[in-house]
Amino acid sequence: MIRRMITLGQRMPPLLRFVLLGVPLWLGQSYAERQEFFVVDSPSEQSLEVAYLDWARRAGAYPNDQQRRDILQTEIEDRVLFKEALRQQLYREDAVVEQRLLRNAGFIGMEGDDAEKVRMAFDLGLHRNDEIIRRHLIEKLKMQVRARAHPIQPPGADILQARYVATRERWKRAPGIEMEHVFFSADSTDQGARVVEAGRQLEAVASAGAAAYSLGDAFLFGNRMPRMALPRLADRFGASFAERLEGAIEAGMLRPGAAGWYGPVASSYGAHFVRVLSYDAAGHTTLAEVEGTLTHEYERSVERDVLKTYVAELCEQYGVGRS
Amino acid sequence: MPLVSASPERNLFWGDLHIHTSLSTDAYVMGVRALPDDAYTFAKGGEIEHAAGYGIRIRRPLDFAAVTDHSEYLGVMRETDPELPFSSRPLRQRLTEDSRLRTTIAWIRTMVGFNPRLGEVEGSDGMSAAAWQMTIDSAERHYQPGRFTTFIGFEWSSMPDKNNLHRNVIYRGSRVPESPFSSLQSQNPEDLWSELEKQRASGMDNLAIPHNGNVSNGLMYDSVAFDGTGIDSVYAARRMSNEPVSEVFQIKGQSETHPHLSPDDQFADFEVFDRILAGRVRYSQPEGSYVRDALRLGIEMAHAEGFNPYQFGVIGSSDSHNASTPSEESTFSGKLPLLDGSAGIRLGKSLLLPEAYQISRDWSSAGLAAVWAEENTRESIFDAVRRKETYATSGPRMAVRFFGGWGYPPDLVDRGNPIALAERTGVPMGGRLPAPRDEGASGPTFAVWALKDPEGANLDRIQIVKGWVREDGTSQERIYDVALSDGRRPDETGAVPDVGNTVDVERATYTNSIGSVQLSSVWQDPDFDPATPAFYYARVIEIPTPRWSTYDAVKLGIPAPAPAAIQERAVTSAIWFEPSR
């Protein structure tokens, strides 16, 4: 049988013989090369150990089995993404890559103008071995894939509510206070008498605004304080002042929105008569207040899902070889 | 929900734009293992571990912070972990278990073995890229608009002939370059500016902040450019667009002025550190090294040439390498653990070293940056720094407002809406005075107002520091006491009695029985010359309080070294007057 085929082959014209034998060989070689290209090296034990130690330095503990598997998977995915970015030639006409290649070209002493140096650097494959170019191309590919997620349908109320509940711990809020005060500086030699007299007047007339402020001294931050969290009030007036106000509010002695003045309350600067304009007890920021943040996070999560699917498909396409 | 509501009259925010972690070569070699996450945890009020093995925490959280590790071999030392004394045994163990002799040997081995070029290893680019990404990720993770602001940044550490020309680069947003510019690429600040300008053109808004002019040997604010050529209008414009503020207080001393430059300034001899940082023992020349001198040179150039390369504002920061901001004297924990990580090291009790090598004795506790910004966001704080509505403190958090204008009423600060009124006809700190409304206007008026740190010491006085140019083209400086505590008044010679001193050196305590909680003044320049340029800035001085070394001495049970007490302070960005040309 084989002898007959050889005889048949010998009787064929040379051109036909070249086509019949050459084409399958060429196709086979192309297939083999393609198969070879779509393989990434598995990270070596040594490089993985470096990654584990790096992780340990950041986290304060050596990664467990699952964490080590995650580190390995991330490393493989990065290798796949980088190879795919090279296949798509994302490095072409990229300013970051060119700047980097110019720097590398200068380092190894290449001569010529910038365009020549970049061309020679590409010819030498310097773009394949530069860590910054590698990271840049991975990020570039990821950004292109994330962009495919758009336009994203805005999340419905149920999605936002679910995400709000799941992250409720994040939205804890310290008590907030908005207040005005009449200030009596500790620098004043007759501070005590002035405070007593002002207290009498404020109680008798229930003055408000500028008329009340004028009974006291000017204060650098003004008489009306914008809403601020209680710890910030403590930073501004001293801890005992903030504690006294919080205590008075909780005991019902100082009612937010009430017309009368409460005091005198001692601070690091002197004495104050205070009216609380609004007070938010410790609680949680409402869903309406964080809707923008949650929507933003939802959109990022959709982008991440698109990227995750893409990377998973890419990893199926690529094989992992031995390093 | 923001911690403080936004305000068009600006809120006061406190921060540190100069913090290092173990990603910096010198920090890692000298024992630091903390990372950017630790720096932000600390700034927000959390406790972290100091490299010497004890917990550190700031009493009051900061509003903003930036990790600015050295870009040269960023993160490489951490990855390569070369064989140095602290690779095998941490500082705490050495301090608690070893003899002074053995600790000193470890100190000498580290200092002798320390060479920034240890970072020249194969694959260092990849290590630096990962460290830069960690810096970015950490800043992004900790940024909480309205509550706590982080900035992505790095330190460009140019050191020609061991003279300090360092700058911190701060980015306004999340768009940053792939890798930070380093002095390995160029030691010339103009090359840094070129890179920053290129980045700004591609949407990465940024600025650079020079620091430690005090150890630049006259190079930081020189009368010529880095390459020795003359300064021209292009250089001046580039410098001011790239470097709108300078850092004037930090651990390695103050850069406001030097007694040699300001012999008539009774408060100039404050936390002076002028020893060149590396190499043999030598000292930085004062001329060209200090901010006030630079402001004076700037107006001289404005007068003679029509351009001013030194019209910049000021901030303070830490330059701590421990991922922290040790701004309080009583809890000072040092800058580089091996040099000052414990009271014993700082005061020379844990090491057997001649005093000339105990440089940390002359270091200060950290400074702080104060910024008047609408809200606590990257954009608002960055923009305030760019417009120079900032001031520096040597650590305390006194509030200071400073405005300049024409014809402010004497009772401005007592009026109901002084800020709106001051801005209607004038400018805040960092601004340029508008032209006077009428030709024959008398001198400009300045409204200045200071409130003590609520957790700190009372105030001694407010001063206005003026620099102006004489007919012969040379500049002069004069200091006016514009508000004094305790009802003091200058005598007929202009001398002001001292505020007093309540510091108990044996116990490291003081009392607020002297000084004022608040001082203010509306001051008109009595010596104004409308034909020449001038600058004015405010300085607020606290009553004497114990220096960190006094607190350390009490802990160690030894006599406190001099000075036992210091007068901490705030220095504002200046307001400039330029005659119409």
Side-chain angles (χ1 to χ4, degrees), chain A residues 54 57-58 96 100 131-132 135-136 173 183 185 187 218-221 227-229 232 235-236 239 268-269 289, chain B residues 1-5 60 63 78-79 125-126 129 133-134 178-179 372 399 413 449 451-452 454 516-518:
Chain A
D54 184 52
R57 273 196 286 268
R58 291 187 209 187
V96 172
R100 197 66 198 164
E131 178 60 24
I132 287 184
R135 276 199 321 106
H136 174 69
R173 190 173 60 186
F183 169 59
S185 172
D187 297 332
F219 187 69
L220 184 144
F221 288 108
R227 185 205 174 279
M228 62 178 74
R232 283 293 177 271
D235 289 348
R236 183 156 293 177
S268 301
Y269 308 116
E289 287 172 303
Chain B
M1 178 74 71
L3 288 177
V4 180
S5 300
R60 286 170 286 174
D63 297 304
R78 191 180 168 86
E79 286 296 325
D125 277 356
Q133 192 60 47
M134 188 194 292
E178 284 291 312
S179 57
W372 286 102
V413 296
W449 203 347
L451 187 65
K452 65 165 262 191
S516 293
V517 299
Q518 184 172 243

Short mmCIF file of all heavy atoms in Angstrom, two decimals, chain A residues 54 57-58 96 100 131-132 135-136 173 183 185 187 218-221 227-229 232 235-236 239 268-269 289, chain B residues 1-5 60 63 78-79 125-126 129 133-134 178-179 372 399 413 449 451-452 454 516-518:
data_model
loop_
_atom_site.label_atom_id
_atom_site.label_comp_id
_atom_site.label_asym_id
_atom_site.label_seq_id
_atom_site.Cartn_x
_atom_site.Cartn_y
_atom_site.Cartn_z
N ASP A 54 4.92 38.46 49.74
CA ASP A 54 4.46 39.84 49.58
C ASP A 54 3.07 39.99 50.19
O ASP A 54 2.77 40.96 50.89
CB ASP A 54 4.44 40.20 48.09
CG ASP A 54 4.07 41.64 47.87
OD1 ASP A 54 4.70 42.49 48.51
OD2 ASP A 54 3.13 41.91 47.10
N ARG A 57 3.32 40.06 53.89
CA ARG A 57 3.79 41.34 54.43
C ARG A 57 2.65 42.34 54.50
O ARG A 57 2.56 43.15 55.40
CB ARG A 57 4.92 41.89 53.56
CG ARG A 57 6.29 41.37 53.99
CD ARG A 57 7.40 42.22 53.40
NE ARG A 57 7.57 41.94 51.98
CZ ARG A 57 8.40 41.04 51.48
NH1 ARG A 57 9.14 40.33 52.28
NH2 ARG A 57 8.49 40.85 50.19
N ARG A 58 1.77 42.28 53.49
CA ARG A 58 0.65 43.24 53.49
C ARG A 58 -0.41 42.84 54.50
O ARG A 58 -0.99 43.69 55.17
CB ARG A 58 -0.01 43.26 52.11
CG ARG A 58 0.85 43.88 51.05
CD ARG A 58 0.07 44.03 49.78
NE ARG A 58 0.95 43.95 48.62
CZ ARG A 58 0.56 44.17 47.40
NH1 ARG A 58 -0.69 44.49 47.14
NH2 ARG A 58 1.40 44.09 46.40
N VAL A 96 2.64 55.73 26.44
CA VAL A 96 3.32 55.20 27.63
C VAL A 96 4.36 54.16 27.21
O VAL A 96 5.50 54.17 27.68
CB VAL A 96 2.29 54.58 28.60
CG1 VAL A 96 3.00 53.86 29.73
CG2 VAL A 96 1.38 55.66 29.15
N ARG A 100 8.47 54.49 27.56
CA ARG A 100 9.18 53.45 28.31
C ARG A 100 10.27 52.81 27.43
O ARG A 100 11.38 52.58 27.89
CB ARG A 100 8.13 52.42 28.73
CG ARG A 100 8.51 51.50 29.80
CD ARG A 100 8.70 52.19 31.12
NE ARG A 100 9.48 51.26 31.95
CZ ARG A 100 10.11 51.58 33.05
NH1 ARG A 100 10.09 52.81 33.48
NH2 ARG A 100 10.79 50.67 33.71
N GLU A 131 8.28 45.48 32.90
CA GLU A 131 7.20 45.28 33.87
C GLU A 131 6.14 46.39 33.79
O GLU A 131 4.94 46.14 33.90
CB GLU A 131 7.79 45.22 35.29
CG GLU A 131 6.79 45.07 36.41
CD GLU A 131 5.95 43.80 36.30
OE1 GLU A 131 6.40 42.83 35.66
OE2 GLU A 131 4.81 43.80 36.83
N ILE A 132 6.59 47.61 33.58
CA ILE A 132 5.62 48.72 33.54
C ILE A 132 4.75 48.61 32.29
O ILE A 132 3.54 48.81 32.34
CB ILE A 132 6.34 50.07 33.63
CG1 ILE A 132 6.82 50.24 35.08
CG2 ILE A 132 5.44 51.22 33.23
CD1 ILE A 132 7.48 51.53 35.38
N ARG A 135 2.21 45.86 32.93
CA ARG A 135 1.07 46.30 33.76
C ARG A 135 0.18 47.26 32.99
O ARG A 135 -1.04 47.22 33.09
CB ARG A 135 1.58 47.00 35.03
CG ARG A 135 1.92 46.06 36.13
CD ARG A 135 1.97 46.72 37.49
NE ARG A 135 2.55 48.04 37.50
CZ ARG A 135 1.85 49.16 37.64
NH1 ARG A 135 0.55 49.10 37.79
NH2 ARG A 135 2.46 50.32 37.65
N HIS A 136 0.80 48.14 32.22
CA HIS A 136 0.03 49.12 31.45
C HIS A 136 -0.88 48.43 30.44
O HIS A 136 -2.05 48.78 30.29
CB HIS A 136 1.00 50.07 30.74
CG HIS A 136 0.34 51.03 29.81
ND1 HIS A 136 -0.48 52.06 30.25
CD2 HIS A 136 0.33 51.10 28.46
CE1 HIS A 136 -0.93 52.72 29.21
NE2 HIS A 136 -0.46 52.16 28.11
N ARG A 173 -23.39 56.75 61.35
CA ARG A 173 -23.12 58.19 61.39
C ARG A 173 -23.02 58.65 62.84
O ARG A 173 -23.87 58.30 63.67
CB ARG A 173 -24.27 58.91 60.69
CG ARG A 173 -24.02 60.36 60.45
CD ARG A 173 -25.12 60.94 59.60
NE ARG A 173 -26.42 60.81 60.23
CZ ARG A 173 -27.57 61.13 59.64
NH1 ARG A 173 -27.57 61.52 58.41
NH2 ARG A 173 -28.70 61.02 60.29
N PHE A 183 -20.53 83.99 72.81
CA PHE A 183 -19.23 83.62 73.36
C PHE A 183 -18.69 84.66 74.33
O PHE A 183 -18.76 85.86 74.06
CB PHE A 183 -18.25 83.43 72.18
CG PHE A 183 -16.81 83.31 72.59
CD1 PHE A 183 -16.40 82.28 73.44
CD2 PHE A 183 -15.85 84.19 72.10
CE1 PHE A 183 -15.06 82.15 73.79
CE2 PHE A 183 -14.52 84.06 72.46
CZ PHE A 183 -14.12 83.04 73.30
N SER A 185 -15.11 85.37 76.13
CA SER A 185 -13.71 84.92 76.12
C SER A 185 -13.13 84.83 77.52
O SER A 185 -13.39 85.68 78.37
CB SER A 185 -12.88 85.92 75.29
OG SER A 185 -11.51 85.60 75.43
N ASP A 187 -10.27 85.47 78.09
CA ASP A 187 -9.31 86.57 78.19
C ASP A 187 -9.90 87.77 78.91
O ASP A 187 -9.18 88.62 79.42
CB ASP A 187 -8.88 87.04 76.78
CG ASP A 187 -8.17 85.95 76.02
OD1 ASP A 187 -7.55 85.10 76.66
OD2 ASP A 187 -8.24 85.96 74.77
N ALA A 218 -16.54 88.54 69.96
CA ALA A 218 -16.41 87.94 68.63
C ALA A 218 -15.62 86.64 68.75
O ALA A 218 -14.75 86.50 69.61
CB ALA A 218 -15.69 88.91 67.71
N PHE A 219 -15.95 85.70 67.88
CA PHE A 219 -15.30 84.39 67.89
C PHE A 219 -14.82 84.09 66.48
O PHE A 219 -15.56 84.30 65.51
CB PHE A 219 -16.31 83.32 68.34
CG PHE A 219 -15.73 81.95 68.56
CD1 PHE A 219 -14.86 81.72 69.62
CD2 PHE A 219 -16.08 80.89 67.74
CE1 PHE A 219 -14.33 80.45 69.84
CE2 PHE A 219 -15.56 79.62 67.96
CZ PHE A 219 -14.69 79.40 69.00
N LEU A 220 -13.57 83.63 66.35
CA LEU A 220 -12.98 83.49 65.02
C LEU A 220 -13.85 82.68 64.07
O LEU A 220 -13.98 83.02 62.90
CB LEU A 220 -11.59 82.85 65.13
CG LEU A 220 -10.81 82.74 63.82
CD1 LEU A 220 -9.32 82.97 64.06
CD2 LEU A 220 -10.97 81.40 63.13
N PHE A 221 -14.43 81.61 64.54
CA PHE A 221 -15.24 80.77 63.64
C PHE A 221 -16.67 81.28 63.51
O PHE A 221 -17.51 80.64 62.88
CB PHE A 221 -15.26 79.33 64.13
CG PHE A 221 -13.94 78.62 63.94
CD1 PHE A 221 -13.13 78.31 65.02
CD2 PHE A 221 -13.52 78.26 62.66
CE1 PHE A 221 -11.92 77.66 64.83
CE2 PHE A 221 -12.30 77.62 62.47
CZ PHE A 221 -11.50 77.32 63.56
N ARG A 227 -23.33 72.57 60.32
CA ARG A 227 -23.51 71.23 60.87
C ARG A 227 -22.17 70.50 60.90
O ARG A 227 -21.44 70.50 59.91
CB ARG A 227 -24.49 70.42 60.02
CG ARG A 227 -24.81 69.07 60.62
CD ARG A 227 -25.25 68.06 59.61
NE ARG A 227 -25.38 66.76 60.26
CZ ARG A 227 -24.35 65.94 60.51
NH1 ARG A 227 -23.13 66.28 60.19
NH2 ARG A 227 -24.56 64.79 61.12
N MET A 228 -21.87 69.93 62.04
CA MET A 228 -20.64 69.15 62.11
C MET A 228 -20.85 67.94 63.02
O MET A 228 -21.68 67.96 63.92
CB MET A 228 -19.46 69.99 62.59
CG MET A 228 -19.55 70.58 63.95
SD MET A 228 -18.04 71.50 64.36
CE MET A 228 -18.22 72.96 63.36
N ALA A 229 -20.09 66.89 62.71
CA ALA A 229 -20.16 65.69 63.54
C ALA A 229 -19.62 66.02 64.93
O ALA A 229 -18.74 66.86 65.08
CB ALA A 229 -19.36 64.57 62.90
N ARG A 232 -15.97 66.36 65.64
CA ARG A 232 -15.37 67.59 65.11
C ARG A 232 -15.67 68.78 66.03
O ARG A 232 -14.85 69.69 66.17
CB ARG A 232 -15.87 67.87 63.70
CG ARG A 232 -15.21 67.01 62.66
CD ARG A 232 -13.71 67.39 62.56
NE ARG A 232 -12.99 66.55 61.63
CZ ARG A 232 -12.39 65.39 61.95
NH1 ARG A 232 -12.41 64.97 63.20
NH2 ARG A 232 -11.76 64.67 61.05
N ASP A 235 -13.17 68.64 68.60
CA ASP A 235 -11.87 69.14 68.13
C ASP A 235 -11.85 70.66 68.12
O ASP A 235 -10.80 71.27 68.31
CB ASP A 235 -11.61 68.65 66.70
CG ASP A 235 -11.31 67.16 66.67
OD1 ASP A 235 -11.09 66.58 67.74
OD2 ASP A 235 -11.31 66.58 65.56
N ARG A 236 -12.99 71.27 67.87
CA ARG A 236 -13.00 72.73 67.74
C ARG A 236 -13.14 73.45 69.07
O ARG A 236 -12.54 74.49 69.28
CB ARG A 236 -14.15 73.15 66.80
CG ARG A 236 -14.17 74.64 66.55
CD ARG A 236 -14.84 74.98 65.27
NE ARG A 236 -14.09 74.53 64.12
CZ ARG A 236 -14.51 74.67 62.87
NH1 ARG A 236 -15.66 75.26 62.61
NH2 ARG A 236 -13.77 74.25 61.86
N ALA A 239 -13.10 68.70 74.26
CA ALA A 239 -13.93 67.51 74.46
C ALA A 239 -15.04 67.75 75.48
O ALA A 239 -16.18 67.30 75.31
CB ALA A 239 -13.04 66.35 74.89
N SER A 268 -12.71 75.36 75.82
CA SER A 268 -11.29 75.70 75.95
C SER A 268 -11.06 77.20 75.85
O SER A 268 -9.97 77.68 76.13
CB SER A 268 -10.49 75.01 74.85
OG SER A 268 -10.65 73.62 74.92
N TYR A 269 -12.07 77.93 75.39
CA TYR A 269 -11.88 79.36 75.13
C TYR A 269 -12.59 80.27 76.13
O TYR A 269 -12.35 81.46 76.15
CB TYR A 269 -12.42 79.70 73.74
CG TYR A 269 -11.87 78.81 72.66
CD1 TYR A 269 -12.71 77.96 71.94
CD2 TYR A 269 -10.52 78.80 72.36
CE1 TYR A 269 -12.20 77.13 70.95
CE2 TYR A 269 -10.01 77.97 71.38
CZ TYR A 269 -10.85 77.14 70.68
OH TYR A 269 -10.34 76.31 69.72
N GLU A 289 -29.53 59.31 50.73
CA GLU A 289 -28.27 60.06 50.80
C GLU A 289 -27.11 59.32 50.15
O GLU A 289 -26.15 59.95 49.71
CB GLU A 289 -27.93 60.37 52.26
CG GLU A 289 -28.82 61.43 52.87
CD GLU A 289 -28.59 61.59 54.37
OE1 GLU A 289 -28.73 60.59 55.09
OE2 GLU A 289 -28.28 62.69 54.80
N MET B 1 -22.35 61.51 54.41
CA MET B 1 -22.54 62.76 55.17
C MET B 1 -21.18 63.31 55.61
O MET B 1 -20.42 62.62 56.28
CB MET B 1 -23.41 62.44 56.40
CG MET B 1 -23.65 63.62 57.31
SD MET B 1 -24.82 64.84 56.70
CE MET B 1 -26.36 63.94 56.82
N PRO B 2 -20.85 64.55 55.21
CA PRO B 2 -19.53 65.09 55.60
C PRO B 2 -19.45 65.34 57.10
O PRO B 2 -20.46 65.55 57.77
CB PRO B 2 -19.45 66.40 54.82
CG PRO B 2 -20.86 66.77 54.51
CD PRO B 2 -21.63 65.49 54.42
N LEU B 3 -18.24 65.31 57.64
CA LEU B 3 -18.05 65.58 59.07
C LEU B 3 -18.31 67.05 59.37
O LEU B 3 -18.74 67.41 60.46
CB LEU B 3 -16.63 65.22 59.49
CG LEU B 3 -16.33 63.72 59.56
CD1 LEU B 3 -14.87 63.50 59.91
CD2 LEU B 3 -17.22 63.02 60.56
N VAL B 4 -18.03 67.92 58.39
CA VAL B 4 -18.33 69.35 58.53
C VAL B 4 -18.96 69.79 57.22
O VAL B 4 -18.46 69.47 56.14
CB VAL B 4 -17.04 70.17 58.77
CG1 VAL B 4 -17.37 71.64 58.92
CG2 VAL B 4 -16.30 69.66 59.99
N SER B 5 -20.08 70.52 57.30
CA SER B 5 -20.75 70.96 56.08
C SER B 5 -19.86 71.90 55.28
O SER B 5 -19.05 72.64 55.84
CB SER B 5 -22.05 71.70 56.43
OG SER B 5 -22.90 70.85 57.13
N ARG B 60 -5.99 63.59 67.89
CA ARG B 60 -7.09 64.11 67.05
C ARG B 60 -6.80 63.72 65.61
O ARG B 60 -5.71 64.03 65.10
CB ARG B 60 -7.16 65.63 67.17
CG ARG B 60 -7.75 66.10 68.48
CD ARG B 60 -7.58 67.58 68.65
NE ARG B 60 -6.20 67.95 68.96
CZ ARG B 60 -5.73 69.18 69.04
NH1 ARG B 60 -6.55 70.19 68.81
NH2 ARG B 60 -4.47 69.43 69.35
N ASP B 63 -7.60 65.65 58.81
CA ASP B 63 -8.64 65.73 57.78
C ASP B 63 -8.12 65.22 56.43
O ASP B 63 -8.90 64.78 55.60
CB ASP B 63 -9.11 67.17 57.62
CG ASP B 63 -9.75 67.70 58.89
OD1 ASP B 63 -10.71 67.06 59.37
OD2 ASP B 63 -9.30 68.73 59.43
N ARG B 78 12.23 46.82 50.36
CA ARG B 78 11.26 45.96 51.03
C ARG B 78 11.19 44.59 50.36
O ARG B 78 11.05 43.56 51.03
CB ARG B 78 9.90 46.65 50.99
CG ARG B 78 8.88 45.98 51.85
CD ARG B 78 7.54 46.65 51.80
NE ARG B 78 6.62 45.75 52.45
CZ ARG B 78 6.41 45.71 53.75
NH1 ARG B 78 7.01 46.58 54.53
NH2 ARG B 78 5.60 44.84 54.28
N GLU B 79 11.31 44.60 49.05
CA GLU B 79 11.24 43.34 48.31
C GLU B 79 12.52 42.53 48.44
O GLU B 79 12.50 41.33 48.60
CB GLU B 79 10.98 43.62 46.82
CG GLU B 79 9.57 44.05 46.52
CD GLU B 79 8.56 42.96 46.83
OE1 GLU B 79 8.89 41.79 46.65
OE2 GLU B 79 7.46 43.30 47.30
N ASP B 125 12.55 47.65 38.56
CA ASP B 125 11.44 48.39 37.95
C ASP B 125 10.10 47.75 38.31
O ASP B 125 9.13 48.43 38.63
CB ASP B 125 11.58 48.42 36.43
CG ASP B 125 12.52 49.52 35.98
OD1 ASP B 125 12.97 50.29 36.86
OD2 ASP B 125 12.82 49.60 34.78
N GLY B 126 10.06 46.44 38.24
CA GLY B 126 8.82 45.73 38.56
C GLY B 126 8.45 45.91 40.02
O GLY B 126 7.27 46.10 40.35
N ALA B 129 7.13 49.38 40.39
CA ALA B 129 5.79 49.49 39.79
C ALA B 129 4.74 48.95 40.75
O ALA B 129 3.68 49.54 40.94
CB ALA B 129 5.75 48.73 38.47
N GLN B 133 1.79 51.07 42.63
CA GLN B 133 0.39 50.67 42.56
C GLN B 133 -0.19 50.52 43.97
O GLN B 133 -1.34 50.89 44.21
CB GLN B 133 0.26 49.34 41.78
CG GLN B 133 -1.17 48.99 41.41
CD GLN B 133 -1.82 50.04 40.52
OE1 GLN B 133 -1.23 50.49 39.55
NE2 GLN B 133 -3.03 50.47 40.89
N MET B 134 0.62 50.02 44.89
CA MET B 134 0.14 49.90 46.27
C MET B 134 -0.15 51.28 46.87
O MET B 134 -1.15 51.48 47.57
CB MET B 134 1.21 49.19 47.13
CG MET B 134 0.72 48.86 48.54
SD MET B 134 2.04 48.40 49.67
CE MET B 134 2.55 46.86 48.99
N GLU B 178 2.17 56.32 35.15
CA GLU B 178 2.46 54.90 35.35
C GLU B 178 3.56 54.69 36.37
O GLU B 178 3.60 53.69 37.08
CB GLU B 178 2.89 54.26 34.02
CG GLU B 178 1.75 54.01 33.07
CD GLU B 178 0.83 52.90 33.57
OE1 GLU B 178 1.35 51.85 33.95
OE2 GLU B 178 -0.38 53.13 33.59
N SER B 179 4.49 55.65 36.40
CA SER B 179 5.55 55.54 37.40
C SER B 179 5.94 56.94 37.84
O SER B 179 5.84 57.89 37.06
CB SER B 179 6.77 54.81 36.82
OG SER B 179 7.21 55.47 35.67
N TRP B 372 -7.52 76.41 54.34
CA TRP B 372 -8.88 76.95 54.35
C TRP B 372 -9.54 76.55 53.03
O TRP B 372 -9.25 77.11 51.98
CB TRP B 372 -8.87 78.48 54.48
CG TRP B 372 -8.52 78.96 55.86
CD1 TRP B 372 -7.33 79.44 56.28
CD2 TRP B 372 -9.39 78.98 57.00
NE1 TRP B 372 -7.37 79.76 57.62
CE2 TRP B 372 -8.64 79.50 58.09
CE3 TRP B 372 -10.72 78.61 57.24
CZ2 TRP B 372 -9.17 79.66 59.36
CZ3 TRP B 372 -11.24 78.77 58.51
CH2 TRP B 372 -10.48 79.29 59.56
N ALA B 399 -6.13 78.25 65.10
CA ALA B 399 -6.81 78.72 63.89
C ALA B 399 -6.34 80.14 63.60
O ALA B 399 -6.26 80.98 64.51
CB ALA B 399 -8.32 78.71 64.11
N VAL B 413 -13.03 92.86 62.98
CA VAL B 413 -13.20 91.52 63.53
C VAL B 413 -14.34 91.45 64.54
O VAL B 413 -14.78 90.35 64.89
CB VAL B 413 -11.89 90.99 64.17
CG1 VAL B 413 -10.81 90.83 63.14
CG2 VAL B 413 -11.44 91.90 65.28
N TRP B 449 -6.37 87.27 62.82
CA TRP B 449 -7.19 86.75 63.90
C TRP B 449 -6.70 85.35 64.22
O TRP B 449 -6.55 84.51 63.33
CB TRP B 449 -8.64 86.68 63.39
CG TRP B 449 -9.70 86.68 64.41
CD1 TRP B 449 -9.57 86.49 65.74
CD2 TRP B 449 -11.08 86.89 64.16
NE1 TRP B 449 -10.80 86.57 66.34
CE2 TRP B 449 -11.73 86.81 65.39
CE3 TRP B 449 -11.83 87.14 63.02
CZ2 TRP B 449 -13.12 86.96 65.51
CZ3 TRP B 449 -13.19 87.28 63.13
CH2 TRP B 449 -13.84 87.21 64.36
N LEU B 451 -6.95 81.96 67.07
CA LEU B 451 -7.63 81.28 68.17
C LEU B 451 -6.74 80.12 68.58
O LEU B 451 -6.27 79.36 67.73
CB LEU B 451 -8.98 80.76 67.67
CG LEU B 451 -9.96 80.15 68.65
CD1 LEU B 451 -10.44 81.20 69.66
CD2 LEU B 451 -11.17 79.59 67.89
N LYS B 452 -6.51 80.00 69.87
CA LYS B 452 -5.56 78.95 70.33
C LYS B 452 -6.03 77.56 69.95
O LYS B 452 -7.23 77.34 69.67
CB LYS B 452 -5.40 79.04 71.84
CG LYS B 452 -6.67 78.70 72.61
CD LYS B 452 -6.41 78.44 74.08
CE LYS B 452 -6.33 76.95 74.29
NZ LYS B 452 -6.33 76.53 75.69
N PRO B 454 -7.54 74.31 70.82
CA PRO B 454 -8.40 74.04 71.99
C PRO B 454 -7.79 73.03 72.96
O PRO B 454 -8.17 73.00 74.13
CB PRO B 454 -9.69 73.49 71.35
CG PRO B 454 -9.32 73.08 69.98
CD PRO B 454 -8.19 73.96 69.56
N SER B 516 -3.31 84.46 75.92
CA SER B 516 -4.72 84.68 75.57
C SER B 516 -5.26 83.50 74.78
O SER B 516 -4.49 82.83 74.08
CB SER B 516 -4.86 85.94 74.71
OG SER B 516 -4.54 87.08 75.47
N VAL B 517 -6.57 83.31 74.86
CA VAL B 517 -7.17 82.25 74.04
C VAL B 517 -7.38 82.74 72.61
O VAL B 517 -7.41 81.95 71.67
CB VAL B 517 -8.50 81.74 74.63
CG1 VAL B 517 -8.29 81.15 76.01
CG2 VAL B 517 -9.57 82.81 74.65
N GLN B 518 -7.55 84.02 72.46
CA GLN B 518 -7.83 84.57 71.13
C GLN B 518 -7.21 85.96 71.02
O GLN B 518 -7.27 86.74 71.96
CB GLN B 518 -9.35 84.66 70.93
CG GLN B 518 -9.79 85.12 69.56
CD GLN B 518 -11.30 85.01 69.36
OE1 GLN B 518 -11.76 84.28 68.52
NE2 GLN B 518 -12.06 85.74 70.15
#
